[in-house]
Amino acid sequence: MIKEKTNSPIHLRPRFSIDLEVSHELMINKFKNVLKDSGCVFPSKFVDGHIIIDVPKKDEHFWSPQLNIEIVEVAENTSILKGLFGPKPQVWTLFMFIHFVVGLAFMIFGVMLYVKWSLDESFVLPLMMVIFLPLLWILLYFLGRIGKSTGHNQMDDLHDLMTNIIEN
C-alpha cells in the first residue's frame, strides 16, 4: 500500500511525495522498463533521477497535464519519489508571463493614479485600471482552476500509471 503525502488541493500544480523501500536505481529502472516498452502509450523523458511523463499524443489538448517525478536516494534501499502535476512548460510560461504583465501594469497604473491625484488632474483611467487589473488576476486564477479540472481525468491516468509501476 502506498502512503502518499500531498499538498493542499488549492494549488494549481499539485505536489506529492512517496516514501519507497526500494533503491533509487531499481525504481528508475522499473519506470524505464514500463515507459520504454513498445506497448506504452505515454511519452516520457528520463534525465538522471528525473522522469517526465506526458499524456498520450492522441488525447493531448491545451490543458493536458504533465507528471514530473524525481526519485531521490535516501539510503541504500530507501528513496523518496517526489511528484508534481502541472501544465506543459509552454502553457505555464504563458500564464506566468500574463501574470507578470498584469502585475507590472497594476503597479504602473497605481503610480499614475497617485501622481494624477496629487496633481489634482483627472484620474479616471488609472482608477479604472487599478480596479480592473485585480479582477483580471482573479479571472486568470479561475481559468487556471478550470484548466486543472479539464485535465483532471488525465492527471488520474498519469497517477494510476505511476502507482501501477511502483506497486509491480
Side-chain angles (χ1 to χ4, degrees), residues 42-60:
F42 293 90
S44 58
K45 298 177 205 97
F46 293 85
V47 179
D48 297 327
H50 197 85
I51 305 164
I52 300 169
I53 307 173
D54 291 313
V55 298
K57 291 287 183 198
K58 65 180 179 57
D59 299 329
E60 200 172 68

Side-chain angles (χ1 to χ4, degrees), residues 127-147:
L127 180 62
M128 287 180 8
M129 293 305 287
V130 166
I131 293 169
F132 169 74
L133 289 170
L135 296 175
L136 180 60
W137 231 334
I138 292 168
L139 176 67
L140 286 172
Y141 173 77
F142 284 108
L143 282 174
R145 296 282 298 181
I146 290 168

Side-chain angles (χ1 to χ4, degrees), residues 42 55-56 59 61 63-65 85 146-161:
F42 293 90
V55 298
D59 299 329
H61 54 76
W63 295 109
S64 289
F85 284 106
I146 290 168
K148 180 181 167 187
S149 65
T150 301
H152 195 276
N153 289 340
Q154 292 175 332
M155 278 176 49
D156 289 341
D157 294 343
L158 291 170
H159 189 269
D160 291 344
L161 172 71

